[in-house]
């Protein structure tokens, strides 16, 4: 894992900010499926018991109930583990929320392979691709706790369906204080002219470490925190292609259909831009400590450095 | 039905309990309390002569199937499989460690004896139905056993499966619901009550019996009863305690998803040995 200073998990920051927002915005309601202690909606449950429902272990019903609350004018936050939320209730998301374009917020915890010892059945390595495939959805993958707070607020303020992925373990700090965020606008967390590393989630920290290593051998890497996968920041990608000529995309997700695909679709329009992709590939992980699993999957700082060097 | 006496089975159950705790404490994570509630049922299945199986031939086509639908109780499944000889009991201490096939939740592609990859709740019964249908269509006499959590029973798929199994008259299918009365965030009755559960199942064309899931003799009788039912799937509603056998787990009620601290392990072993609860 990254050598950077650790901050709280992104799920903690989400839960904390959600409860704060609940004070000033009484349209916010929460539905959770027997995992409020894991998703961290628990604080909202404690503070606003009349605006929060635990539907039990029943994700299809969870999403359907959330869809109804949205249609009735509420701003529902629908929470479970990312894998169960997206994979178990996909058609309910499609028909209940995406198709009518309702203002519902899906928040999936335990994103990626960093849930660690719990093993592959509890990990989400398909969630971002699934969410991106839904018509009209905005898809967010925050990098650390400070940006999660800002993105949680932006998610609630945004009018329309959103999926946000949060993570289980402590997240290395990228931002000292809450950054200004705009959905669909990448944050340049490091400037560079030789290549650009585009990352989100925990991979932003790995990308920052990789950029430092590359700098030691004279390569200046730009690092973009692409917290919004959809709509993707086309300007930032175009600029990266034009100004740095090479792009590495790093994400804690399967290879297909998520950040890598979204970036490639834009970069491809620019003509030939050499690209490399660092991700979980196409096979399920296993149980172990997150750093062991990152190494096994090939998504560490060293893997990003190697990918960058392959383009130079 | 069993060649082992009740007392012998109780001794095996103690061993299983201790192995569940040893493995999860060594791993530093996992679900011991959810595993402990199902010990008598799993012990009876594997050591009481209920399940027709052969640890030397985990792929034997005529074997009975046991599917642990509540996959987070993996330490229970692993402990009985190891005790039965599918792999070494030493392997239990590799639970949840990198490189070990004893993943946090059962993975059928990595460990012999695991019939289904579970861990996303609500799916095991449907898979069990698939095995039961295959037996019927192939004219085989193997039986299928599925263990489900009571919280898990809230999943919609569970009821789709129950309706289907009832209509298919799958008498080679036995469901055990581990009614330990708790789920992750609290009491089942307060979150999403299942009752009247027996009536629901009966109306779905199942035969139902309710037992104390920690009384070895009642568990044994329930499996005998299930074998005798024809034309309908059978449900055994096993009243159990989450954390059964360890007073400080039982007392907390739920103790969900937490291992016993290293310092408490000896005390827990002693209680299990003494059979206190
Ligand atoms: C589809 C799905 N939703 C949520 C979870 C998270 N989860 C793991 S265990 C658990 C509680 C299970 O309760 P129960 O079925 O009663 O089993 P017990 O632990 O009480 O034996 C939950 C909600 C999951 N594993 N799968
Ligand atoms: Mg239970």
């Amino acid at each position: 894992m990254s050598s950077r200073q650790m901050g709280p998990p992104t799920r903690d920051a989400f839960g904390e900010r959600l409860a704060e927002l609940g004070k000033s915005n009484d349209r916010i309601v929460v539905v959770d499926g027997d995992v409020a202690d894991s998703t961290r909606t628990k604080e909202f449950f404690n503070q606003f018991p009349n605006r929060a429902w635990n539907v039990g272990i029943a994700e299809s019903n969870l999403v359907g109930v959330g869809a109804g609350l949205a249609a009735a004018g509420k701003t529902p936050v629908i929470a479970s583990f990312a894998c169960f939320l997206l994979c178990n209730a996909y058609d309910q998301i499609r028909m209940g929320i995406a198709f009518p374009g309702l203002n519902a917020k899906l928040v999936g915890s335990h994103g990626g392979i960093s849930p660690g010892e719990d093993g592959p059945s509890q990990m989400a390595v398909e969630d971002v691709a699934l969410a991106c495939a839904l018509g009209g959805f905005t898809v967010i993958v925050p990098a650390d706790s400070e940006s999660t707070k800002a993105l949680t607020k932006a998610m609630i303020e945004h009018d329309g369906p959103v999926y946000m992925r949060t993570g289980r373990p402590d997240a290395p700090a990228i931002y000292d204080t809450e950054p200004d965020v705009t959905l669909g606008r990448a944050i340049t967390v490091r400037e560079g002219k030789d290549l650009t590393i585009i990352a989100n989630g925990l991979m932003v920290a790995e990308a920052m470490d990789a950029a430092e290593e590359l700098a030691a051998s004279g390569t200046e890497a730009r690092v973009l925190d692409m917290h919004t996968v959809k709509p993707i920041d086309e300007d930032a990608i175009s600029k990266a292609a034009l100004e740095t000529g090479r792009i590495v995309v790093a994400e804690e997700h399967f290879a297909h259909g998520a950040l890598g695909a979204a970036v490639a679709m834009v970069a491809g329009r620019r003509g030939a831009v050499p690209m490399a992709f660092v991700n979980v590939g196409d096979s399920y992980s296993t149980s172990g400590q997150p750093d062991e699993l990152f190494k096994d999957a090939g998504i560490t700082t060293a893997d990003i450095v190697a990918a960058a060097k392959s383009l130079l | 039905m069993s060649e082992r006496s009740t007392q012998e089975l109780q001794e095996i159950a103690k061993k299983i309990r201790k192995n569940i705790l040893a493995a999860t404490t060594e791993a530093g994570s996992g679900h011991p309390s959810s595993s402990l509630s199902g010990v008598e049922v799993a012990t009876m299945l594997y050591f009481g002569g209920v399940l027709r199986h052969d640890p030397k031939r985990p792929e034997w086509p005529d074997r009975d199937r046991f599917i642990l639908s509540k996959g987070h109780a993996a330490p229970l499944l692993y402990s009985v499989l190891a005790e039965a000889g599918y792999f070494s009991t030493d392997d239990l201490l590799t639970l949840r460690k990198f490189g070990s096939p004893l993943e946090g939740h059962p993975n059928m592609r990595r460990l012999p004896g695991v019939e289904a990859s579970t861990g996303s709740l609500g799916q095991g019964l449907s898979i069990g139905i698939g095995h039961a249908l295959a037996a019927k269509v192939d004219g085989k006499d193997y039986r299928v056993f599925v263990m489900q959590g009571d919280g898990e029973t809230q999943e919609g798929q569970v009821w789709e499966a129950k309706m289907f199994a009832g209509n298919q008259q799958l008498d080679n299918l036995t469901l055990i619901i581990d009614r330990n009365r708790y789920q992750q965030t609290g009491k089942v009755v307060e979150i999403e009550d299942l009752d009247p559960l027996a009536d629901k199942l009966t109306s779905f064309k199942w035969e139902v019996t309710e037992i104390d899931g920690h009384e070895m003799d009642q568990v044994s009788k329930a499996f005998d009863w299930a074998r005798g039912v024809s034309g309908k799937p059978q449900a055994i509603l096993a009243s159990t305690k989450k954390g059964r056998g360890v007073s400080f787990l039982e007392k907390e009620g739920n103790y969900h998803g937490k291992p016993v601290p290293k310092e408490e392990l000896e005390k827990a072993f002693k209680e299990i040995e003494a059979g206190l609860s």
Side-chain angles (χ1 to χ4, degrees), chain B residues 70 149-151 178-183 188 242:
Chain B
K70 43 173 268 188
D150 46 3
D178 184 20
R179 291 201 88 179
N180 58 26
R181 309 283 165 176
Y182 282 90
Q183 52 191 97
V188 175
K242 213 157 163 170

Side-chain angles (χ1 to χ4, degrees), chain B residues 232-250:
Chain B
K232 284 182 177 186
Q234 317 89 43
I236 299 173
L237 309 188
S239 267
T240 58
K241 275 190 174 166
K242 213 157 163 170
R244 170 74 174 197
V246 184
S247 64
F248 47 98
L249 267 62
E250 282 188 34

Side-chain angles (χ1 to χ4, degrees), chain A residues 193-219:
Chain A
K193 58 179 183 4
D194 299 326
L195 71 111
T196 302
I197 308 170
I198 300 178
N200 61 19
L202 291 177
M203 298 309 290
V204 177
E206 304 288 342
M208 292 291 274
D209 288 357
E212 239 153 74
E213 259 191 69
L214 288 164
S217 55
T219 301

Side-chain angles (χ1 to χ4, degrees), chain A residues 242-254:
Chain A
L242 281 173
E243 294 170 10
T244 73
R246 301 169 185 90
I247 296 175
V248 176
V249 186
E251 59 186 324
E252 194 187 347
H253 193 279
F254 271 165

Side-chain angles (χ1 to χ4, degrees), chain B residues 68-243:
Chain B
L68 180 71
S69 190
K70 43 173 268 188
H72 58 289
L76 168 62
L77 178 62
Y78 300 160
S79 296
V80 289
L81 288 177
E83 188 63 28
Y86 283 85
F87 46 86
S88 161
T89 48
D90 294 344
D91 293 344
L92 292 172
L93 294 180
T94 68
L95 175 70
R96 292 177 160 248
K97 292 191 174 156
F98 182 70
S100 170
L102 282 72
E103 293 185 350
H105 295 73
N107 182 339
M108 66 185 283
R109 286 284 169 248
R110 294 201 61 195
L111 200 62
V114 173
E115 296 284 2
S117 297
T118 54
S120 181
L121 294 165
Q123 304 188 17
L125 184 58
S126 301
I127 296 168
I129 290 173
H131 281 280
L133 287 171
K136 294 270 184 196
V137 94
D138 290 344
K140 287 184 179 291
D141 68 348
Y142 68 77
R143 300 184 60 83
V144 181
F145 300 88
V146 177
M147 184 189 282
Q148 186 170 81
D150 46 3
E152 179 181 17
T153 304
Q154 294 158 348
E155 282 285 359
Q157 181 182 351
V158 160
W159 297 95
E160 297 173 24
K162 284 176 174 152
M163 188 153 46
F164 184 63
N167 281 326
Q168 290 288 322
Q169 306 176 355
L170 285 177
D171 52 11
N172 54 351
L173 176 69
T174 306
L175 172 69
I176 304 103
I177 300 186
D178 184 20
R179 291 201 88 179
N180 58 26
R181 309 283 165 176
Y182 282 90
Q183 52 191 97
Q184 179 168 324
T185 60
K187 287 190 169 137
V188 175
V189 67
E190 286 167 10
I191 292 168
E192 182 77 315
D193 193 8
L194 302 174
D195 276 326
L197 184 54
D199 292 350
K200 285 190 174 98
L201 281 155
T202 307
S203 74
F204 277 42
K205 305 170 193 167
W206 285 61
E207 284 293 325
V208 184
T209 187
E210 301 188 59
I211 61 163
D212 179 332
H214 297 307
E215 281 300 325
M216 218 45 110
D217 292 337
Q218 290 192 33
V219 175
S220 172
K221 282 206 189 91
F223 283 122
D224 285 343
W225 161 84
R227 199 172 290 275
V229 172
S230 71
K232 284 182 177 186
Q234 317 89 43
I236 299 173
L237 309 188
S239 267
T240 58
K241 275 190 174 166
K242 213 157 163 170

Side-chain angles (χ1 to χ4, degrees), chain A residues 34 37-38 59 118 286-287, chain B residues 103-105 110 155 184-185:
Chain A
D34 193 35
D37 49 346
S38 302
E59 290 74 17
D118 280 344
T286 180
S287 286
Chain B
E103 293 185 350
H105 295 73
R110 294 201 61 195
E155 282 285 359
Q184 179 168 324
T185 60

